[in-house]
Amino acid sequence: MNVSSLVAFSVLRLQLSISTLHCLFASIFSKVCNWTIRAYRGTPSPVSPQKLDQKRIQNAMTPTSVNYHFTRQCNYKCGFCFHTAKTSFVLPLEEAKRGLKLLKDSGMEKINFSGGEPFLHDKGEFLGKLVQYCKQDLQLPSVSIVSNGSMIKEKWFKKYGDYLDILAISCDSFDDATNQLIGRTQGKKSHVDNLNKICNWCQQYRVAFKINSVINTFNVDEDMVEHIVTLNPVRWKVFQCLLIDGENAGEEALREAERFIISDKQFQEFLDRHSSVPCLVPESNEKMRNSYLILDEFMRFLDCRDGRKDPSKSILDVGVKEAISFSGFDET
Ligand code: SF4
């Protein structure tokens, strides 16, 4: 070994020793800190189940963004529908407003009205009054609707357009034959023509226009880039078709969606084919199950974590915090 190698070797050994000492000190320091913190906190005392319940309610998440499915009735028959017409119940208008006020008082900032088809009940008047109430009285920063678009008339925009921030229309295909196969249609009316009409009204009445698509067996190979770019929505939300026990799967369900289901790989291929569309926002099954705060027609939160929709008690009976603590909502 020559002199320069010897020097380099000694420097390396010195560096290694310093680094080892550094790790040793860091480890000792961290242990001492932990002992000190534990000693300071003391040994945790057993907590009664009642106190745990109270704590859970106190820690319940703030319902910043809520999807209120106020009706399950719909004029379409999409084969994969995940919110089916199991009841025909709709709350009286004043009760729905009371619930919305409770939500606002608990921190709600965004409300989305959905269904079923929200424009079906009372020819869109019930929906219009709730939209107006949320914007004018509750002053919510964001009021939106998800609709299949088939029941919307221009006079609704004239009357209520000022109170609506966003309108999302569901469209799974730009080929009407495919829409017929899916059930996303009523009679022989063209779903695509309707979509174009509503897109124009949204521009005219200054409502942000969005499109939601459910990717399933029948549209998974379609290329929608050109149509989406032409319509130019502010957002195109693309969902992977999802099975929900009791809604579109299982013995009590009103739909059998198994034949619509695609694999994660197929969903990814669809996303890759449309990666040039800047407004595309993908929603995987996992995200759909956990990240939506869903309120049903009785104003009960629905917990979708176990692949079905388990309802909480109604916020009208027990308040928002108690109901939400059982909803399984994942804020992230
Ligand atoms: S439009 Fe289709 S998916 Fe939406 S509520 Fe109606 S049947 Fe269900």
Side-chain angles (χ1 to χ4, degrees):
M1 198 180 283
N2 60 28
V3 177
S4 62
S5 318
L6 201 62
V7 171
F9 181 67
S10 305
V11 169
L12 187 68
R13 282 190 61 185
L14 189 64
Q15 276 175 343
L16 278 171
S17 310
I18 289 169
S19 147
T20 312
L21 274 174
H22 184 259
C23 289
L24 196 67
F25 279 130
S27 156
I28 292 168
F29 181 71
S30 138
K31 284 212 167 83
V32 169
C33 282
N34 281 342
W35 292 334
T36 316
I37 289 165
R38 266 188 236 140
Y40 176 73
R41 283 186 185 146
T43 318
S45 55
V47 184
S48 73
Q50 252 178 348
K51 275 202 174 148
L52 268 178
D53 258 4
Q54 273 175 6
K55 205 164 178 207
R56 196 158 55 131
I57 292 168
Q58 275 164 14
N59 289 344
M61 287 75 65
T62 307
T64 317
S65 178
V66 175
N67 283 282
Y68 176 26
H69 296 249
F70 66 83
T71 178
R72 284 177 170 271
Q73 297 294 302
C74 187
N75 57 327
Y76 276 16
K77 291 188 172 54
C78 308
F80 51 70
C81 181
F82 11 76
H83 206 75
T84 52
K86 295 199 291 191
T87 78
S88 56
F89 183 80
V90 177
L91 276 172
L93 184 66
E94 290 310 312
E95 276 297 89
K97 283 184 180 175
R98 181 166 78 85
L100 291 165
K101 173 81 168 65
L102 290 175
L103 286 161
K104 155 84 189 195
D105 293 344
S106 301
M108 177 173 71
E109 289 172 8
K110 295 180 181 179
I111 181 75
N112 178 58
F113 295 102
S114 186
E117 171 45 48
F119 282 88
L120 191 61
H121 185 63
D122 197 17
K123 295 185 175 150
E125 279 302 300
F126 182 88
L127 174 64
K129 283 170 187 156
L130 290 186
V131 162
Q132 183 172 1
Y133 176 71
C134 284
K135 186 51 86 180
Q136 203 170 47
D137 297 60
L138 300 184
Q139 309 254 307
L140 293 182
S142 174
V143 180
S144 64
I145 299 172
V146 174
S147 160
N148 65 33
S150 63
M151 311 287 294
I152 308 177
K153 302 270 184 285
E154 189 176 5
K155 68 177 182 195
W156 192 95
F157 276 94
K158 284 188 176 145
K159 196 167 173 186
Y160 298 113
D162 278 352
Y163 311 111
L164 183 64
D165 297 299
I166 305 160
L167 177 60
I169 302 295
S170 309
C171 179
D172 311 321
S173 173
F174 290 88
D175 173 10
D176 274 325
T178 307
N179 285 325
Q180 292 276 348
L181 279 174
I182 292 171
R184 185 82 89 187
T185 188
Q186 187 185 21
K188 293 275 174 243
K189 283 188 204 162
S190 166
H191 188 72
V192 180
D193 287 353
N194 220 27
L195 184 74
N196 288 316
K197 197 168 63 181
I198 292 166
C199 176
N200 289 334
W201 284 337
C202 281
Q203 273 180 2
Q204 201 178 327
Y205 293 93
R206 293 185 302 279
V207 173
F209 174 67
K210 291 186 179 177
I211 299 175
N212 289 351
S213 300
V214 178
I215 308 311
N216 62 80
T217 322
F218 297 94
N219 63 1
V220 69
D221 295 322
E222 200 168 316
D223 186 337
M224 306 183 190
V225 172
E226 211 182 304
H227 295 282
I228 297 291
V229 168
T230 308
L231 285 163
N232 193 24
V234 293
R235 194 173 63 180
W236 180 32
K237 220 166 193 187
V238 175
F239 300 87
Q240 184 179 356
C241 191
L242 175 69
L243 287 182
I244 298 273
D245 199 44
E247 295 284 353
N248 62 14
E251 276 179 20
E252 287 161 34
L254 297 180
R255 298 283 198 283
E256 288 175 5
E258 282 83 357
R259 69 197 174 98
F260 288 88
I261 294 302
I262 54 166
S263 65
D264 291 351
K265 183 169 171 281
Q266 283 176 296
F267 185 57
Q268 191 53 52
E269 280 165 6
F270 182 91
L271 296 178
D272 292 345
R273 196 178 319 127
H274 295 85
S275 59
S276 62
V277 180
C279 61
L280 190 159
V281 179
E283 291 271 325
S284 68
N285 282 351
E286 207 46 44
K287 198 169 172 206
M288 274 177 81
R289 277 198 195 99
N290 299 332
S291 58
Y292 285 91
L293 202 45
I294 298 174
L295 204 60
D296 76 357
E297 67 275 26
F298 300 101
M299 287 199 152
R300 304 177 303 186
F301 287 113
L302 299 180
D303 181 351
C304 303
R305 281 175 304 177
D306 290 334
R308 52 175 198 272
K309 290 175 170 173
D310 294 326
S312 70
K313 289 178 183 157
S314 171
I315 63 167
L316 297 169
D317 297 329
V318 298
V320 174
K321 283 224 181 303
E322 188 175 335
I324 206 175
S325 64
F326 295 95
S327 74
F329 175 55
D330 174 3
E331 260 186 318
T332 58

